[in-house]
Amino acid sequence: MVKEISIDTLVVSSNNDDQHNSSVPPLYQTTTFKQKSVTDMGQYDYTRSGNPTRTQLEGQLAKIMKAQRAFAVTSGMGCLDVITRLLKPGDEVIAGDDLYGGTHRLLTLLNEKGAVNLKHIDTTDTEVVKSTLSENTKMIFLESPTNPLIKIVDLPEISKYIRKNYPNCLIVFDNTMMSPLLLSPLQYVDIQYESATKYLNGHHDIMAGAIAVNDDKLGNDIYFIINSTGCGLAPFDSWLLLRGLKTLSIRFERQQQNAEKLAEWLESIGFKVRYPGLKSHPQHELHKSFNKGFGAVLSFETGSILKSEKIVEGTQIFGVTVSFGCVNSLISMPCRMSHAAIDPEIRKERNLPEDIIRLCLGIENIDDLIEDLKDALILSGIAKLVDGKLVKQQVAKL
Ligand SMILES: *Cc1c(COP(=O)(O)O)cnc(C)c1O
């Protein structure tokens, strides 16, 4: 038996059927393809329906995502739009209450219009998920780890329960935080999608989304929607994503290493740090049981909104930027930035600390990153150097 080829190798393999044997897949920057005759259509006719550069990318994504079929669309949210169009009006759907903000926004919009009947629950509580499911549930949306709270969904257990008791409920999983490098969710779910804007591309220079399935009918339905709505990824963006993908393993391994070191360092100073790789994370073992790593996003609390603002603004190497998955390290205050649109009352209900700082690690040298954060901590007054050692100060809650 041929040993399964590792994702590290798959991402750089670039076989293509170019007539000149180009080493890198060519870019077909064209909207139309000439037909041999009025009746002989050939494989491609119009780029909305199909383009060789996109096909090349989708083949590559299918391999990496361990899927029969994969699709490249214009963004992560584009994936969700396509997937929700598989539903019928009024279908019951279940979604986590700590999902990505844009996911929450689109599902809430569909719910308000009566397009779906949405139940928001804590999907990190498996018993709650089990008791909410019914014969009427057509789709469940899961995401793990959530961010910035970094809570873990028991994907294997929920999947086993749904497949046994509610086989008609489609399980949809947003794998943006782990990427195919750390998790192959199709063994547990029907539809996997991710924002390729993040780790898959890795350079914050294109928006893209990837959907993967292992079922012919689902694949055909999804292709029909993408072709009908015109959200397939453009040729140039497909070409750039093919290039970005090649370094997924090497980038993400370094990013993860940096995150692990930074999380340990922050914890050693006395901060409450949320990172699934820390033994102190309440779901450390659960996360480890089905993922190959811990990712590169973590968050920590300072106890003071003002101090958090000073820390975020005091860094030099970290960019004050939303999003993650980029080769550059990023720092943000979710309640002021990515999650600012969520009603403060709801933020409180969901136990989202207003002072929480999110760090998304890039590939820089870890000593430089720690030095940068150290300076920002001192500048904010939350920590002080005592005999060359960084000591956390008590702060008044503001
Ligand atoms: C960014 C993100 C999305 C949305 O992807 P876009 O490419 O920005 O549309 C969806 N889910 C998660 C978890 C994300 O981080």
Side-chain angles (χ1 to χ4, degrees), residues 68-71 82-83 85-88 139 168 170 190-191 211-226:
Q68 240 175 56
R69 218 163 152 190
F71 303 92
V82 167
I83 294 162
R85 284 171 197 268
L86 294 165
L87 292 161
K88 292 200 179 65
M139 219 177 244
N168 293 326
L170 288 174
D190 303 291
I191 306 174
I211 309 174
V213 295
N214 266 339
D215 177 272
D216 279 342
K217 162 106 177 47
L218 260 182
N220 290 338
D221 290 351
I222 287 170
Y223 172 74
F224 185 88
I225 294 166
I226 291 172

Side-chain angles (χ1 to χ4, degrees), residues 3-12 64 66 181 249:
K3 187 183 163 294
E4 195 182 338
I5 297 177
S6 153
I7 187 166
D8 306 346
T9 308
L10 284 178
V11 287
V12 286
I64 294 164
K66 296 206 169 87
L181 190 71
S249 301

Side-chain angles (χ1 to χ4, degrees), residues 24 91 135 167 278 291 299 314:
V24 169
D91 272 355
E135 292 295 338
L278 290 173
N291 295 276
S299 56

Side-chain angles (χ1 to χ4, degrees), residues 201-383:
N201 181 58
H203 295 76
H204 276 189
D205 49 13
I206 58 153
M207 303 286 306
I211 309 174
V213 295
N214 266 339
D215 177 272
D216 279 342
K217 162 106 177 47
L218 260 182
N220 290 338
D221 290 351
I222 287 170
Y223 172 74
F224 185 88
I225 294 166
I226 291 172
N227 184 31
S228 305
T229 56
C231 63
L233 194 62
F236 187 48
D237 289 353
S238 299
W239 189 85
L240 281 173
L241 182 49
L242 272 166
R243 186 168 70 166
L245 263 183
K246 291 183 191 178
T247 50
L248 171 68
S249 301
I250 192 166
R251 277 187 275 112
F252 202 4
E253 270 163 24
R254 171 67 161 263
Q255 286 173 278
Q256 176 163 261
Q257 227 175 45
N258 282 351
E260 282 170 10
K261 286 187 185 152
L262 202 73
E264 279 165 17
W265 179 74
L266 280 169
E267 194 170 58
S268 75
I269 304 169
F271 287 106
K272 177 176 162 61
V273 183
R274 295 171 200 249
Y275 181 63
L278 290 173
K279 294 224 168 54
S280 58
H281 190 288
Q283 294 169 299
H284 171 72
E285 291 300 329
L286 170 64
H287 180 91
K288 220 166 81 172
S289 71
F290 67 98
N291 295 276
K292 288 197 214 108
F294 303 106
V297 176
L298 60 113
S299 56
F300 72 104
E301 287 155 57
T302 66
S304 154
I305 298 172
L306 282 180
K307 293 250 183 305
S308 291
E309 283 177 0
K310 282 205 173 126
I311 294 166
V312 169
E313 288 164 4
T315 52
Q316 305 285 322
I317 299 174
F318 287 86
V320 185
T321 310
V322 294
S323 196
F324 60 88
C326 180
V327 287
N328 297 104
S329 289
L330 313 174
I331 189 167
S332 69
M333 251 181 103
C335 292
R336 288 278 186 277
M337 300 165 68
S338 53
H339 293 59
I342 302 176
D343 191 307
E345 280 304 309
I346 294 178
R347 289 204 297 255
K348 206 164 157 193
E349 245 169 59
R350 292 194 199 152
N351 298 317
L352 188 63
E354 294 289 311
D355 61 319
I356 202 167
I357 295 178
R358 189 178 80 172
L359 296 170
C360 307
L361 278 295
I363 62 171
E364 302 92 338
N365 180 292
I366 187 62
D367 296 336
D368 294 338
L369 292 172
I370 287 181
E371 204 57 33
D372 188 30
L373 202 53
K374 189 166 140 188
D375 288 346
L377 291 177
I378 295 170
L379 201 72
S380 77
I382 195 137

Side-chain angles (χ1 to χ4, degrees), residues 74-78 99-103 143 145 147 174-177 193-198 206-209 323-324 358:
T74 48
S75 70
M77 284 301 99
L99 294 175
Y100 174 72
T103 308
E143 190 179 313
N147 95 78
D174 180 336
N175 195 36
T176 309
M177 283 278 276
Y193 75 96
E194 38 201 283
S195 166
T197 313
K198 313 289 169 58
I206 58 153
M207 303 286 306
S323 196
F324 60 88
R358 189 178 80 172

Side-chain angles (χ1 to χ4, degrees), residues 30-49:
T30 179
T31 53
T32 45
F33 299 82
K34 289 177 192 161
Q35 308 301 304
K36 289 198 184 92
S37 74
V38 282
T39 50
D40 186 356
M41 303 297 274
Q43 192 182 347
Y44 298 98
D45 63 346
Y46 193 48
T47 281
R48 172 155 45 71
S49 312

